[in-house]
Amino acid sequence: MVLLTLMAAVTVGVVRQRNLFGVVILGGIYSFMMASVLMVLDAVDVAMTEASVGAGISTVLMLSVLYLTKSRESVPHHTPLLPLVVSVITAGVLVYGTLDLPPFGAADNPVHLNTAPRYLEKSIEETGVPNVVTSVLSSYRGYDTLGETTVVFTAGIGVLLLLRGRRRKRKARPARPERGSAK
Amino acid sequence: MTIISEIVANYNQWITIFLMVSGLYIVVARGNMVKKLVGLSLFQTSVYLLYTSPGKILGGTPPILDPDFTVYSNPLPHVLILTAIVVGVATLALGLALVVRINEEYGTIEEDEIFPEKDGE
């Protein structure tokens, strides 16, 4: 609960901070706290992935983009009133929705009654893997993981294409001033 | 007393909603593209919390089978969220590559500065 409150505090910091470097570092702190919360929620595999991917790779990617661009955010011209109102209304509707949810952590919630017990019972017998997350991920839902790798592959191709075009252009026209600076 | 127990019971969900809505707010209200992407990933991480918190059983252990334990938390949300984290970082990388290209083309990553330029052409 303390961790969750700290996470909310960091989020407020992310919203208010205008120095993008600070925003990215706060994002890293946020990811680590998210990983600890996931640990408390028994999702150890997810916590490890979040700590390495969310706090590690994402932060490095963001920092490298900040190196290539500017690290200062300018003040927006329009008022943030309309987005604020929309966000508050969304939050209100969602909180109203939570009032009907089953109690937290009870073993007889509908989530725990359908497919999960079968995985827990048959995992050793059918796959021989004691970690049920692994056996579901790579055995029962292998097609899911195949789709995931397809998405990652496509994203990788996209990044490569975007950044390769950039390098070629710079080589071809090195003296051309950029539009923003020419203005 | 009932109000306090209600707050404790729903605290997870409410923090999730707060994170989700602040991510939404950043995406809509801020013009800087890197900031927008940070907001988007905030939204995504709130979804991880939304999925894993119903999977927890109080007094249960992580779903790694062992003869000493009988109550395990639900493994299914964990699997779905593992997939979501990896896909999330892939989309983040693609978005950041787009930001780099936009910066290359327009010399700025602020929406307010990009769109007036287009009108002026």
Side-chain angles (χ1 to χ4, degrees), chain A residues 4-5 11 14-15 17 30 34 38 42 49-50 68-69 74 80 98 104-105 111 115-116 130 132 148 169 179, chain B residues 11-12 14 19 22 25 30 35 45 48 52-54 58 60 63 65 73-74 76 82 86 103 105 110 121:
Chain A
L4 288 169
T5 316
T11 312
V14 170
V15 175
Q17 178 71 261
Y30 169 86
M34 173 62 86
L38 290 171
D42 282 352
T49 316
E50 171 69 16
L68 291 172
T69 60
S74 69
T98 60
F104 171 72
V111 201
T115 39
V132 185
E148 172 200 340
K169 205 171 180 181
R179 275 195 224 179
Chain B
Y11 199 63
N12 266 351
W14 290 353
L19 298 179
S22 41
Y25 171 77
R30 293 302 161 86
K35 188 84 177 246
T45 25
Y48 309 160
T52 42
S53 59
L58 287 178
L65 297 177
S73 290
N74 198 333
L76 206 52
L82 273 179
V86 177
N103 183 53
E105 196 68 29
E110 298 283 343
E121 275 179 353

Side-chain angles (χ1 to χ4, degrees), chain A residues 63-107:
Chain A
L63 285 179
S64 45
V65 168
L66 285 189
Y67 173 71
L68 291 172
T69 60
K70 278 178 300 195
S71 70
R72 190 77 202 167
E73 181 187 15
S74 69
V75 182
H77 302 308
H78 49 275
T79 60
L81 196 65
L82 180 65
L84 199 64
V85 170
V86 170
S87 309
V88 169
I89 291 175
T90 317
V93 172
L94 287 172
V95 167
Y96 175 69
T98 60
L99 295 180
D100 275 345
L101 283 176
F104 171 72

Side-chain angles (χ1 to χ4, degrees), chain A residues 96-151:
Chain A
Y96 175 69
T98 60
L99 295 180
D100 275 345
L101 283 176
F104 171 72
D108 55 351
N109 282 350
V111 201
H112 305 302
L113 298 181
N114 291 315
T115 39
R118 195 207 171 275
Y119 287 141
L120 288 170
E121 273 167 28
K122 298 282 177 88
S123 174
I124 289 275
E125 188 184 315
E126 289 179 352
T127 63
V129 181
N131 188 341
V132 185
V133 175
T134 312
S135 75
V136 174
L137 183 75
S138 54
S139 174
Y140 293 111
R141 293 184 170 254
Y143 281 115
D144 232 10
T145 310
L146 183 67
E148 172 200 340
T149 40
T150 314
V151 170

Side-chain angles (χ1 to χ4, degrees), chain A residues 21-44:
Chain A
F21 187 74
V23 168
V24 171
I25 296 303
L26 278 176
I29 295 173
Y30 169 86
S31 284
F32 270 121
M33 278 198 279
M34 173 62 86
S36 342
V37 170
L38 290 171
M39 198 84 175
V40 174
L41 289 172
D42 282 352
V44 279

